[in-house]
Amino acid sequence: MSLSLEHALERFWGYTNFRPLQQEAMSCVMNGHDSLVVLPTGGGKSLCFQVPAMCLPGMAIVVSPLIALMKDQVDTLRQNGIPAAFINSTLDVEERRQVARWIHSGELKLLYIAPERLVLPGTLEFLGSAQVSMIAVDEAHCISEWGHDFRPEYRGLSVVRERFPDVAVHAYTATATPRVRDDIAAQLGLREPTTLVGSFDRPNLVYRVERRDRLNDQVLEVATKHPGEAGIVYCPTRNQVEEMAALLKARGIKALPYHAGLADNIRRKHQDAFLNESVDVITATVAFGMGIDKSNVRYVVHAAMPKSLEAYQQESGRAGRDGLPAECWLFYSTADLMRWRNMIDGDDEVANQVARDSLDQVAQFCTSAACRHQSLVRHFGQELPHQSCDACDVCLGDVDLLPDALVVAQKILSSVVRQKERFGGEYTALVLKGSKDQRVLQNGHDELSTYGILSQHDTRVIRDWVEQLVGQGFLEKTGEFNVLQVTPLGWQVLRGELAPKLLQPANPKTSKARKSKSVDEAAWEGVDHELFESLRQLRREVATQMKVPPYIIFSDASLRDMARLRPTTMAHMHLVKGVGAKKADDFGELFLERILEHLAEAK
Ligand code: ADP
């Protein structure tokens, strides 16, 4: 008896609706038509091949680059009652034999395998005797040199097409520019693939960008807003990673560091602690995250500018994969820009220029007054239909646009000119503020017509505007002392031909508190908080017993739905999002019991 896609989705995953493009992507698999699917992180790519794998006869081969990811996915599938397995170097001989037996019996529905292992003649020979329903290539951008994560072992995959000429091949990736897309199709030898490109927008992520001026306080503020919730804090250096973890710990927040300088076993231990929820926060270099499927990360902090918007999209994208609201904070300084610039020193001048352009785009993103969601998707060649996203600092009104930005910018730029372009941002702000600082007086800059011309504003605010003008290319920092110079674009501003946009921090008592809350409130609407916490605790206990990460038992989205619906019967339990037949069988009673206890106590 064949199973429909809808039925499989509901029965094994407990979901009743498809995410955008999932149904189209699944239909390609069902029809045996090659496809190339580009969906953002959290868009639900895995289900695009997993669901049809359950509906087609035979076994799907899934090519996946990372051992950690394979295990996570297979564990998740098995929890849903799906016969899945992986073959990689972590299996011992007996385990490998077991998988082979499973394949031979025809029961296995999904086999995860690394590309280098799949292309071995022995593996191909062995799999040739199995009924293969499809070949899914996950993280397909790894095959392209033009992508950001090229893995030469992916190149060998073209042989798979030759070995299984009648089996359709499907490629999945979260990040692919048109050039990378073409490369994927060519390298894999896809036959007239249907290309499906989803929206790059992640509407549940709330982006906030702030100039870094008291980093420790800024990060602590974010972390304390999310007590007991999972967060990742990305820092640029190993030392900073260690310091940040120590700082958080000192403030009673359970945090551990993760970077390449730690021994393998320590790194794994810290990663596991994060996955198992025995710590809430991981402070890490960007090495952390690839292959982490944890769906309930509630915030990602960047303590410095990322090196490109692609990198930012990917790193911040590790928040909120479960579709619930999550925050992405970016604390930047133009010092970051300098740091990255100094690191660009390859032999290939074209590549260097690409890297510099990428940095400029990040700087522009940080300092512009445009919707962050819109800016990000525009970078990927898309456009959002709405004017306001209600999910970034700009649209939420956490930052206000300065009504007279042109005049303010002209005052700043003209002060820089009058200071003979020989001073930095800090100093310029002091002059504009009208400070009695010794250096200002000694230089006679209290005589300048721009002295004190912005005295009604805080020095910090003025300093911030200077940075915004740098970020937007109206000022440039030069030399080892970051001396400010007016750029040709800046001169256009001085002549009134161009008007920059400047942000000013909003009054925290007004819009910020009110509006930002409403986003989070919507996701918590009707949720019994106390019950949610109690269910989380139960999930943790079950997970510890079963030695799997808690989110594999139930996602946060499921627990919130449970704490909203508060089901009192098994039939009712089935209505909870993410509760499929197997999960209901395995955990339904246990969670029901906890809900009933809670309801009895509340009476
Ligand atoms: P990706 O591989 O694109 O990053 P995943 O396949 O890991 O995304 O899916 C992200 C999360 O969304 C997972 O927790 C998954 O169970 C959930 N999800 C996927 N499809 C649906 C759906 N149709 N309805 C509800 N949740 C879904």
Side-chain angles (χ1 to χ4, degrees):
M1 186 197 70
S2 71
L3 196 60
S4 73
L5 291 170
E6 288 83 357
H7 194 166
L9 183 72
E10 155 92 82
R11 176 163 149 204
F12 294 104
W13 282 269
Y15 299 145
T16 42
N17 295 306
F18 293 102
R19 293 245 176 100
L21 294 184
Q22 273 185 333
Q23 206 168 7
E24 291 84 342
M26 291 179 197
S27 299
C28 288
V29 179
M30 294 305 286
N31 299 332
H33 189 102
D34 287 2
S35 67
L36 169 55
V37 179
V38 188
L39 283 177
T41 311
K45 281 183 294 301
S46 322
L47 267 69
C48 292
F49 55 85
Q50 291 169 346
V51 177
M54 294 310 290
C55 304
L56 290 170
M59 172 190 83
I61 296 176
V62 184
V63 179
S64 174
L66 295 159
I67 291 175
L69 197 69
M70 271 185 218
K71 177 161 168 31
D72 220 46
Q73 294 228 350
V74 167
D75 281 349
T76 305
L77 287 166
R78 288 194 187 165
Q79 286 303 326
N80 286 342
I82 293 169
F86 59 80
I87 305 183
N88 64 32
S89 52
T90 65
L91 297 189
D92 60 30
V93 178
E94 185 38 44
E95 286 169 322
R96 222 169 291 163
R97 279 204 196 116
Q98 172 62 32
V99 175
R101 279 197 291 273
W102 219 2
I103 295 172
H104 265 314
S105 72
E107 282 167 47
L108 196 67
K109 295 306 289 178
L110 289 128
L111 177 71
Y112 281 72
I113 189 160
E116 61 277 16
R117 185 166 291 266
L118 174 59
V119 300
L120 293 176
T123 313
L124 288 171
E125 180 67 36
F126 173 69
L127 291 174
S129 62
Q131 184 185 7
V132 177
S133 59
M134 69 156 126
I135 294 159
V137 181
D138 210 1
E139 313 285 354
H141 58 276
C142 293
I143 205 169
S144 173
E145 274 179 305
W146 306 111
H148 55 83
D149 195 19
F150 175 52
R151 288 170 186 247
E153 60 274 20
Y154 262 67
R155 278 291 160 90
L157 285 173
S158 49
V159 46
V160 177
R161 166 109 274 174
E162 292 158 26
R163 193 68 183 71
F164 297 94
D166 302 327
V167 178
V169 177
H170 305 278
Y172 303 87
T173 174
T175 45
T177 57
R179 187 182 202 178
V180 173
R181 258 179 251 160
D182 292 345
D183 206 19
I184 293 172
Q187 298 287 341
L188 285 175
L190 299 184
R191 298 184 201 122
E192 295 173 24
T194 301
T195 302
L196 297 167
V197 183
S199 168
F200 281 96
D201 190 33
R202 300 280 311 277
N204 62 315
L205 300 188
V206 178
Y207 297 107
R208 295 175 191 281
V209 183
E210 249 179 40
R211 203 164 77 78
R212 184 174 69 232
D213 55 0
R214 29 178 195 105
L215 180 67
N216 290 354
D217 291 345
Q218 286 171 308
V219 175
L220 276 171
E221 237 169 71
V222 178
T224 44
K225 250 181 74 188
H226 294 273
E229 294 184 334
I232 304 174
V233 180
Y234 284 116
C235 302
T237 66
R238 295 174 188 182
N239 273 349
Q240 282 168 288
V241 166
E242 293 284 350
E243 281 166 22
M244 188 55 76
L247 170 83
L248 292 169
K249 263 190 253 176
R251 299 300 178 92
I253 294 161
K254 288 188 264 174
L256 282 175
Y258 184 102
H259 55 75
L262 294 169
D264 276 358
N265 60 333
I266 302 286
R267 260 205 331 251
R268 180 142 339 120
K269 214 171 95 194
H270 290 186
Q271 174 171 324
D272 285 347
F274 183 59
L275 298 182
N276 296 333
E277 299 187 356
S278 49
V279 303
D280 296 323
V281 182
I282 277 281
T283 66
T285 51
V286 288
F288 181 78
M290 258 300 262
I292 302 294
D293 242 355
K294 188 172 167 69
S295 65
N296 61 344
V297 174
R298 292 273 70 84
Y299 61 97
V300 169
V301 174
H302 278 77
M305 265 187 201
K307 64 177 174 187
S308 68
L309 287 177
E310 280 84 356
Y312 186 60
Q313 170 89 351
Q314 194 160 66
E315 288 149 19
S316 63
R318 291 179 184 133
R321 292 173 80 131
D322 51 13
L324 296 175
E327 284 194 312
C328 303
W329 286 85
L330 198 173
F331 298 117
Y332 74 96
S333 149
T334 37
D336 303 336
L337 212 54
M338 296 296 153
R339 208 182 125 262
W340 283 119
R341 280 227 175 94
N342 291 337
M343 285 163 66
I344 302 174
D345 63 351
D347 296 334
D348 181 348
E349 196 29 52
V350 178
N352 290 350
Q353 194 50 46
V354 170
R356 278 192 288 269
D357 291 349
S358 295
L359 274 182
D360 289 343
Q361 287 157 352
V362 178
Q364 179 77 31
F365 173 78
C366 290
T367 58
S368 92
C371 167
R372 313 281 180 202
H373 283 264
Q374 187 70 268
S375 307
L376 279 175
V377 303
R378 214 171 259 167
H379 178 73
F380 293 100
Q382 298 180 339
E383 195 69 22
L384 292 179
H386 45 72
Q387 288 301 312
S388 165
C389 67
D390 272 344
C392 77
D393 49 357
V394 177
C395 294
L396 286 169
D398 291 357
V399 285
D400 278 348
L401 281 188
L402 200 61
D404 51 351
L406 176 62
V407 177
V408 169
Q410 285 175 331
K411 287 177 178 170
I412 295 171
L413 295 174
S414 82
S415 197
V416 171
V417 174
R418 277 161 224 272
Q419 292 158 207
K420 305 226 172 346
E421 301 187 307
R422 278 171 35 206
F423 297 88
E426 207 69 54
Y427 183 92
T428 304
L430 291 176
V431 173
L432 288 155
K433 174 72 185 171
S435 157
K436 297 260 183 296
D437 185 279
Q438 272 301 314
R439 284 174 303 156
V440 176
L441 302 181
Q442 270 165 13
N443 290 327
H445 283 163
D446 51 337
E447 306 285 325
L448 294 181
S449 58
T450 52
Y451 180 77
I453 203 171
L454 293 176
S455 62
Q456 71 275 34
H457 300 287
D458 209 70
T459 314
R460 246 189 72 198
V461 172
I462 304 173
R463 180 81 183 79
D464 197 35
W465 287 329
V466 170
E467 293 301 321
Q468 290 181 39
L469 292 173
V470 174
Q472 293 174 53
F474 300 117
L475 281 173
E476 199 172 43
K477 290 182 177 178
T478 56
E480 75 181 291
F481 300 112
N482 289 329
V483 166
L484 293 176
Q485 286 185 342
V486 178
T487 63
L489 273 184
W491 281 103
Q492 283 184 270
V493 172
L494 278 170
R495 291 195 295 269
E497 295 163 7
L498 254 186
K501 279 187 179 161
L502 291 178
L503 304 167
Q504 61 176 345
N507 179 351
K509 288 194 201 75
T510 56
S511 56
K512 190 168 186 166
R514 184 173 43 77
K515 281 195 172 174
S516 312
K517 216 169 140 213
S518 70
V519 174
D520 211 35
E521 260 173 9
W524 281 105
E525 203 166 356
V527 176
D528 181 332
H529 279 254
E530 222 174 278
L531 177 57
F532 174 73
E533 280 310 323
S534 168
L535 294 173
R536 256 186 87 184
Q537 180 56 35
L538 176 62
R539 177 179 67 175
R540 214 172 291 145
E541 289 160 18
V542 176
T544 310
Q545 244 178 35
M546 297 180 57
K547 297 197 171 59
V548 294
Y551 58 88
I552 283 185
I553 311 277
F554 282 126
S555 69
D556 272 23
S558 293
L559 289 195
R560 278 198 205 179
D561 210 30
M562 239 178 249
R564 185 181 288 121
L565 294 178
R566 294 184 288 185
T568 50
T569 61
M570 275 308 276
H572 200 175
M573 186 59 126
H574 278 283
L575 298 182
V576 172
K577 212 164 118 182
V579 180
K582 174 83 165 38
K583 291 252 169 103
D585 273 359
D586 289 351
F587 311 114
E589 292 286 351
L590 196 63
F591 281 75
L592 259 188
E593 210 173 285
R594 179 63 63 96
I595 295 168
L596 290 170
E597 270 169 29
H598 174 84
L599 292 176
E601 276 167 21
K603 268 188 190 150

